[in-house]
């Protein structure tokens, strides 16, 4: 089977998100071939290059989403709606194309502005007229880009600004959108053009996404947009995997962006409508945990399409850490992660002050580096200063040097050469986050057989099950009480650690992740019609051997061996195996070699 793997700022780039998961997927399913379609996020990401790709990756096509950044204060001027709009290919739209562009942008922007202040649920499968106008505009713009060239200059034109202005002032728009001013129109037009850049790519051809059997988007949002168009143009099934929630990340990031309230409202609704369309068109959606699944259901994902598949992690690297290996002593607490405000190390330090009052010999070892940027360094400095203030250096007598019970360390030194050694440095692993998706550090601690104390955020409860203690976030007292309870009860600590390791080995290994996607690929292939890129050779109607030319049931033990599959060749060159003939629901989606909607 030929898989089109779609990524946004991820694989195959060395610094990409979900890089390890994608690499394990490609290497762990050798029976399939992969074409990579990757969107890059920055020039720095491209300069750092790709990871080493396995031979089963047939080709890689990339597109930079970071180029052509223009000053949002001055859109590219045109001659207005009656003039000509320059395209990204240096051509000009004719009169018919101008009408198409105006109609499609008006529909899309009108839908965005009309629903910009509604509840998120309104972007779901039954969102009504707004959703219909959004999809008409989206696919219409994609067809225009395919027929007449790129949309970049046209979307940033003065004509687009006028359309946005009219939509914001239309009757029925909310108060926030209605209050938009000219700078808001310009900022929204710039954001919309950036979000729709995948529509102008040259991937939507018979030898591009039209040649794959399945599109697998490694995340929702922009990464899934090429998959939407592959289904629209060629009928290629779409599988969407989300380990996080791009829509939630957009909401959190929008609050920090230097944009006005009208712009934030319109961009949020655009991404909500796009997410709803992705979930509606996907054959299967695989959330990485129940936390992600709840967000998907809220934005219209059909529960019958959802299959939770936990991220696979390598358990072998932690196999040497025994459940009784406490290199730093059983009275040591360990925290591992990126140092940033979302991890709430401030609450952890205040909680440890309470722990020290109950257990004077307790120690806290913090392993991690700050996130890139000034904010991370500032937060780490603040945490160090608080630790010095709360825990002055202690000495056993007047002749020995003082020692602080809290240490900030980085993995890779002589004392802690690798990650496994860091988890082995204490008896209890603590997670104090106020925001968390899938807690990778928690799973790694479970692989090491460590008892854990965690805050109830994200997918923590789902991951831990009953193998650790969970407390409310932003509650240092509750965090301290849970840590003291485990420090004082070594038998309970050992029991929870053993149960945690067993749970992690059952649910969160690479093997279970690969087995899940192996079955999903087979399931989608078994329900999709055969799609050949080449016409039938009249001298050899059967043609060369094709994958999935026999149904999966033929491989069941004890079943009679399948005979040669009779093959029909309808007009247009599409060939359908005999086992698929007679199923109207399947054969109705068979497309001709020239493409078309499923």
């Amino acid at each position: 089977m030929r898989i089109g793997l779609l990524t946004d700022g991820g694989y195959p780039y060395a610094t990409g998100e979900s890089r390890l998961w994608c690499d394990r997927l490609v290497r762990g399913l050798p029976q399939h071939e992969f074409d990579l379609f990757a969107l890059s996020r920055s020039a720095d990401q491209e300069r750092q290059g790709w990871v080493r790709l396995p031979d089963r990756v047939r080709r890689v096509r990339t597109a930079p989403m970071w180029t052509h950044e223009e000053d949002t204060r001055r859109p590219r001027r045109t001659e207005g709606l009656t003039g000509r709009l320059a395209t990204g290919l240096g051509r000009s739209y004719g009169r018919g194309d101008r009408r198409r562009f105006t109609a499609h942008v008006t529909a899309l922007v009108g839908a965005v502005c009309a629903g910009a202040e509604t509840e998120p649920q309104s972007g779901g499968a039954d969102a009504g007229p707004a959703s219909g106008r959004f999809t008409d505009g989206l696919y219409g713009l994609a067809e225009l880009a395919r027929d007449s060239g790129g949309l970049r200059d046209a979307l940033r034109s003065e004509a687009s600004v006028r359309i946005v202005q009219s939509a914001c002032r239309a009757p029925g728009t909310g108060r926030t959108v209605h209050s938009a001013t000219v700078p808001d129109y310009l900022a929204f037009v710039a954001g919309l053009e950036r979000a729709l850049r995948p529509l102008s790519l040259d991937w939507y051809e018979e030898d591009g996404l039209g040649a794959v059997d399945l599109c697998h988007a490694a995340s929702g949002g922009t990464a899934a947009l090429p998959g939407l168009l592959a289904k629209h143009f060629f009928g290629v099934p779409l599988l969407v995997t989300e380990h996080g929630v791009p829509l939630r990340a957009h909401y959190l990031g929008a609050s920090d962006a230097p944009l006005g309230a009208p712009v934030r409202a319109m961009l949020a609704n655009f991404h909500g409508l796009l997410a709803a369309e992705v979930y509606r068109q996907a054959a299967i959606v695989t959330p990485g945990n129940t936390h992600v699944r709840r967000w998907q259901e809220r934005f219209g994902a059909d529960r019958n399409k959802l299959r939770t598949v936990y991220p696979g992690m390598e358990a072998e690297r932690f196999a040497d850490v025994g459940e009784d290996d406490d290199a730093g002593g059983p009275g040591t607490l360990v925290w591992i992660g990126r140092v940033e405000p979302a991890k709430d190390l401030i609450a952890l330090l205040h909680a440890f002050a309470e722990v020290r009052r109950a257990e004077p010999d307790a120690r806290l070892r913090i392993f991690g580096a700050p996130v890139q940027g000034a904010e991370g360094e500032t937060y780490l400095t603040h945490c160090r200063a608080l630790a010095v203030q709360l825990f002055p250096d202690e000495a056993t007598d007047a002749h020995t040097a003082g020692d602080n019970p809290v240490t900030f360390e980085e993995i890779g030194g002589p004392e802690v050469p690798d990650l496994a050694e860091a988890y082995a440095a204490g008896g209890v692993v603590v997670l104090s986050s106020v925001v968390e998706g899938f807690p990778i550090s928690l799973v790694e601690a479970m692989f090491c057989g460590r008892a854990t104390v965690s805050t109830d955020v994200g997918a923590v409860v789902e991951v831990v099950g009953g193998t650790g203690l969970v407390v409310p976030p932003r509650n240092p007292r509750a965090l301290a009480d849970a840590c003291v309870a485990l420090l004082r009860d070594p038998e309970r600590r050992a029991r929870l650690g053993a149960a945690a390791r067993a749970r992690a080995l059952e649910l969160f290994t690479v093997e279970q992740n690969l087995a899940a996607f192996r079955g999903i690929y087979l399931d989608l292939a078994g329900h999709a019609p055969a799609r050949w890129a080449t016409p039938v050779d009249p001298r050899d109607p059967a043609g060369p051997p094709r994958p999935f030319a026999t149904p999966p049931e033929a491989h069941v033990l004890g079943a009679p061996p399948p005979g040669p599959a009779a093959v029909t060749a309808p007009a247009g060159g599409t060939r359908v195996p005999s086992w698929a003939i007679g199923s109207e629901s399947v054969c109705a989606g068979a497309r001709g070699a020239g493409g078309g909607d499923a």
Side-chain angles (χ1 to χ4, degrees):
M1 192 172 179
R2 191 171 176 181
I3 312 297
L5 188 60
L6 314 175
T7 65
D8 176 20
Y11 193 70
Y13 295 104
T15 59
E17 297 178 1
S18 300
R19 173 179 57 83
L20 291 177
W21 171 77
C22 289
D23 192 60
R24 292 165 184 163
L25 181 73
V26 172
R27 295 179 184 277
L29 299 177
Q31 67 271 45
H32 300 297
E33 296 177 338
F34 287 84
D35 290 356
L36 302 185
F37 297 84
L39 304 175
S40 66
R41 291 183 179 174
S42 66
D44 182 65
Q45 185 178 54
E46 293 202 354
R47 280 194 297 268
Q48 296 192 40
W50 300 351
V51 298
R52 185 178 181 86
L53 299 176
D55 294 337
R56 62 185 60 93
V57 175
R58 291 171 54 94
R59 60 177 176 172
V60 180
R61 299 183 70 169
T62 64
M65 294 292 100
W66 46 267
T67 55
H68 305 305
E69 291 292 339
E70 296 182 348
D71 188 347
T72 58
R73 296 170 297 179
R74 294 181 56 192
R76 185 181 184 90
R77 290 190 58 86
T78 68
E79 300 173 25
L81 292 176
T82 59
R84 288 181 172 271
L85 297 177
T87 69
L89 298 181
R91 308 183 217 160
S92 296
Y93 285 161
R95 181 176 301 175
D97 288 341
R98 292 201 303 271
R99 285 198 297 266
R100 289 172 63 188
F101 175 81
T102 301
H104 298 324
V105 173
T106 300
L108 187 146
V109 173
V112 169
C113 292
E117 295 177 54
T118 58
E119 289 296 316
Q121 294 92 321
S122 64
D126 301 321
S131 177
R133 283 186 292 160
F134 177 82
T135 55
D136 289 344
L138 179 68
Y139 294 126
L141 288 174
E143 292 167 359
L144 178 61
R146 191 186 186 198
D147 297 340
S148 303
L151 298 172
R152 172 182 166 267
D153 286 355
L155 285 171
R156 283 183 176 262
S157 69
E158 185 176 335
S160 297
V161 176
R162 293 179 182 176
I163 293 173
V164 173
Q165 182 182 32
S166 299
C168 290
R169 295 180 177 178
T173 57
R175 181 180 302 176
T176 302
V177 173
H178 197 76
S179 66
T181 60
V182 172
D184 295 324
Y185 305 148
L186 301 178
F188 174 69
V189 164
L192 182 65
E193 185 274 323
R194 283 192 293 270
L196 294 180
R197 282 178 186 171
L199 272 61
S200 301
L201 300 177
D202 60 353
W203 295 352
Y204 315 111
E205 303 169 349
E206 286 287 350
D207 62 345
L209 285 171
V212 303
D213 301 301
L214 169 68
C215 281
H216 187 173
S219 66
T222 306
L225 190 50
L228 278 182
L229 301 188
K231 181 176 182 182
H232 178 73
F233 290 129
F234 307 108
V236 179
L238 174 61
L239 167 65
V240 178
T241 294
E242 288 186 320
H243 293 138
V245 187
L247 196 56
R248 173 177 172 272
H250 172 79
Y251 286 156
L252 294 175
S255 61
D256 298 329
L259 300 172
V263 182
R264 294 199 301 269
M266 289 187 288
L267 289 177
N269 196 55
F270 169 83
H271 288 285
L273 289 169
L274 178 60
E277 177 64 9
V278 168
Y279 298 149
R280 185 183 303 113
Q281 296 298 335
I284 292 178
V285 180
T286 57
N289 53 72
T290 303
H291 174 65
V292 174
R293 183 179 183 130
R294 287 196 295 267
W295 273 84
Q296 293 171 339
E297 291 179 358
R298 189 178 186 188
F299 280 87
D302 185 352
R303 292 186 179 183
N304 295 324
K305 294 182 179 181
L306 298 177
R307 302 186 188 180
T308 302
V309 180
Y310 295 118
M313 300 175 60
E314 294 180 351
E316 294 78 9
R317 61 189 301 195
F318 306 106
D320 294 337
V321 179
E323 295 164 10
D324 297 326
D325 293 341
D326 296 327
T332 301
L333 303 177
V334 170
W335 182 95
I336 298 176
R338 296 177 302 175
V339 179
E340 57 181 332
K343 303 303 182 182
D344 202 8
L345 288 179
I346 302 299
L348 175 60
L349 291 171
H350 283 288
F352 187 64
E354 298 290 333
V355 171
R356 287 279 293 181
R357 294 187 182 96
E359 294 290 326
D361 294 331
R363 301 184 65 83
L364 172 62
R365 301 182 70 175
I366 296 175
F367 295 95
V371 295
Q372 294 182 353
E375 182 183 16
E377 293 289 348
T378 301
Y379 187 72
L380 177 58
T381 302
H382 179 57
C383 291
R384 289 180 182 273
L386 180 61
V388 171
Q389 179 182 353
L390 292 176
F391 312 101
D393 289 345
E394 301 172 352
T396 56
D397 54 54
H399 303 287
T400 58
D403 185 26
N404 196 300
V406 178
T407 58
F408 291 83
E409 309 172 48
E410 291 191 13
I411 300 173
E415 295 185 2
V416 185
D418 56 33
L419 190 61
E421 292 294 331
Y423 285 108
V428 177
V429 174
V430 184
L431 184 144
S432 55
S433 303
V434 294
V435 177
E436 194 74 54
F438 185 84
I440 294 177
S441 62
L442 208 56
V443 177
E444 292 171 342
M446 295 168 68
F447 279 133
C448 294
R450 288 296 176 268
T452 60
V453 176
S454 315
T455 49
D456 186 5
V457 292
V460 165
V461 172
E462 181 181 4
V463 167
V464 172
T467 67
L469 304 186
V470 180
V471 300
R474 298 189 179 94
N475 192 331
R477 182 67 189 182
L479 191 64
D481 290 344
C483 292
V484 170
L486 291 183
L487 291 176
R488 289 178 172 178
D489 193 344
E491 294 183 359
R492 184 186 185 190
R493 195 167 64 239
R495 188 168 61 250
L496 289 175
R501 170 173 278 180
R503 179 177 175 82
L505 291 174
E506 179 184 1
L507 297 177
F508 307 124
T509 61
V510 173
E511 291 74 20
Q512 66 83 23
N513 182 268
L514 293 176
F517 281 109
R518 187 180 296 113
I520 290 172
Y521 284 178
L522 184 60
D523 184 32
L524 290 176
H527 287 83
R531 303 168 51 255
W532 312 134
T534 57
V536 176
D537 185 351
R539 296 169 297 179
D540 184 14
R546 300 286 187 172
F548 308 105
T550 56
E553 295 85 343
H555 301 286
V556 176
L557 293 177
V567 178
T568 61
T574 300
R575 299 194 292 175
V576 182
S578 59
W579 54 267
I581 299 173
S583 174
E584 296 180 359
S585 62
V586 173
C587 293
R591 67 177 181 87
D597 295 344

